[in-house]
Amino acid sequence: MPLLGVATINSRYRELAGFANATVHFGDRFNLSFGGRYSGNKQSAVQVSDGVLAGGPNALPKAALAVLVDEGKIGWDDPVIQHMPWFRMYDPWVTREITIRDLLVHRSGLGLGQGDLMFVPRTHLTRKQTVERVAYLKPKTSFRSAYAYDNILYAVAGQLIEEVTGQTWEDFIRARVLRPGGMKNATSDSEERFAKPNRSWPHARLSGPLRGIGPQQTLDERDELGRNGAPAGGLALSADDMAAWLRIQLAHGALPEGKRLFSEKQAMEMWAPVTPMPITPLPDALKPAQPTQQAYALGWQVQDYRGHRIIQHGGGVFGSITRVVLIPDRQVGFAIMMNSEDSGMLLGLTYDLLDHYLDQPDYGWIQKWEDWYQSRLAGGVEFLKQSKASPAQSGPSLALARYAGRYRDPWYGDVVIGSDRKGLTIDFASTPRMAGRLDHWQYDSFVTRFDDPAIEPAYVTFALDADGEITGVTMKAVSKIADFSWDYHDLDLKPVEDKK
C-alpha cells in the first residue's frame, strides 16, 4: 500500500468548511482526511459524520436499478412505458422508444439541466407530478443525437422503481442498496439525516456580487432541493459509507462477506460508455487534465487521464460538493466530500490524488485549479459590471400595473406578477419562497430582486403585440456562469386569461 504522506493545503481564504476523503486500495481502507471545522461551527469532519453528497455518488442510485435487472424485474433496454404506461415525453415517438438506459445517459434530446426548476431551489411538487410534467419539456435536439446533462429523467427512474416495486425510491435504496452494502450511516431521506446529531452542515459564499465570492456562510440545511429530484443523487453518506461503496465498485458488485449487491455483469454494464461527450478545451495550465476521449455510462463518466482509464463523477447540492473517482487498473478508488462550494480546491485535490496513484510528479494542481476557479468568478463579475453599466434608457412601454397578471408555462406551472405602490412583484407558484420584486432594466425587461439572496437573479422580458397587449414572458439568468439548474431560459410563459 503506497504511503500518502502529509498534505498541506494553502487557500486564499482563511476559513474553510470541513471536507473529508475516503480511499480504497486493493480492497483495503485507509483515509487521507482533511477537516477541522468551519469557524464558529461546532461540527467537525470526522469519519462517521454524514456529508451531503449529491451527484457525486451518481452511480449509487443506479445500483438500485441494477438490483432489479438482476432479479429480472426490469431490463436496461426495456421501454419505460412497459413499466410505467402513463409516462410521456414531448414527442409520441420518443415516448414509445425511450428505454430505462436512455433515462440515465443524457441523450434524450432534452437540453442541459432542462426542467430543473421543478426542484431547484425547492418545490411544492411531488415526484409523480414532476414526472407527469416531463411531457411538456420540448426537446432541444433529436432523440439519441447529442449529449446534454439532465437531472429530471433520474426523477423518472426513481418513480419507475416505485411503480415496479411498490416502494418509494427512498425506501428501496435504503433497504436493497445502502444497508446490504454496509453503508450503515447513509440516509436516503431528509428527516433521517436531520435526526443524526453528527452530520455536516452546508456552506456557501453568498455576500459578493456572485455566488462563490465572500466569506463562508452556514446555510439552513432544511432549506434544501426538492426531494422530487432526489434520485439524481440526493443521498447523504459518511466517509466510511463512501469507502464501502468504493469497495463494492472495485469488486464489481461483490460484498466482503462473499455475497453480492449486484452481479459482475451489471457492474460492467454500469461502467460501459454509452453517450459520447464533447471535450471542453482547458487553459494551458490545466491541459494535462483534458481527456482525449470521454463518454457517459450508467451514472459514471468514463475518460482517459495520463494513459489510464478513469471512471468518475462529480456533483453537489447547495452548500456541498463531491467527487468520486475510480482507477480500475490500479484497483484504487477515492472520494472527496466538501460541505462548501469551493470547487477549485475539490478539483485540485482530485488531480493531486490521481497523480499520486499514477506515480506522477507533483504538478501543483490545487493552486492551478483554484486560480482557474477564481479567474472564472472574476470573469463573471466583469461581465456583470459591463452589463449593469450599459442598459438602454428606454421603456417600459406600459404602465407598470399592466404587466401584472398570472403567466403559465406548460411544464413549470404559474409565475404571478403582482403590482403594488412600490412597483412589481414576482412569485414562482410551484416553488416555496421564490418571490421578490421586479426592477425595470431596459425596454420591457425587468430584473428580479428575490427575497432569498441565494436564488439566482434573472431577467424577465415581456413580449408585446402591435396593440400593446402582452403575449408572453421569457427569462434568463443574469450571470453568465450561473449553475445550469437555473433553467429560466427554458420557460415559455403565456398570459392566463381571467375566466371571471
Side-chain angles (χ1 to χ4, degrees), residues 13 15 204-217 342:
Y13 296 113
E15 86 287 61
R205 305 180 189 277
L206 302 176
S207 60
L210 287 176
R211 192 181 188 111
I213 298 176
Q216 293 278 19
Q217 298 174 226
D342 297 329

Side-chain angles (χ1 to χ4, degrees), residues 25-84:
H25 183 234
F26 289 111
D28 293 321
R29 161 72 190 284
F30 59 101
N31 292 303
L32 175 61
S33 298
F34 311 89
R37 61 189 61 175
Y38 168 67
S39 55
N41 186 342
K42 297 179 181 179
Q43 297 292 334
S44 61
V46 296
Q47 292 312 314
V48 296
S49 66
D50 283 337
V52 179
L53 316 176
N58 204 291
L60 213 163
K62 312 311 165 288
L65 292 168
V67 169
L68 293 175
V69 173
D70 277 337
E71 293 177 347
K73 294 181 179 178
I74 63 171
W76 294 117
D77 296 310
D78 288 353
V80 174
I81 58 172
Q82 178 178 326
H83 304 283
M84 206 156 59

Side-chain angles (χ1 to χ4, degrees), residues 183-195:
M183 291 164 268
K184 61 183 180 181
N185 289 310
T187 62
S188 57
D189 65 67
S190 301
E191 292 307 315
E192 184 183 10
R193 174 164 54 88
F194 296 149

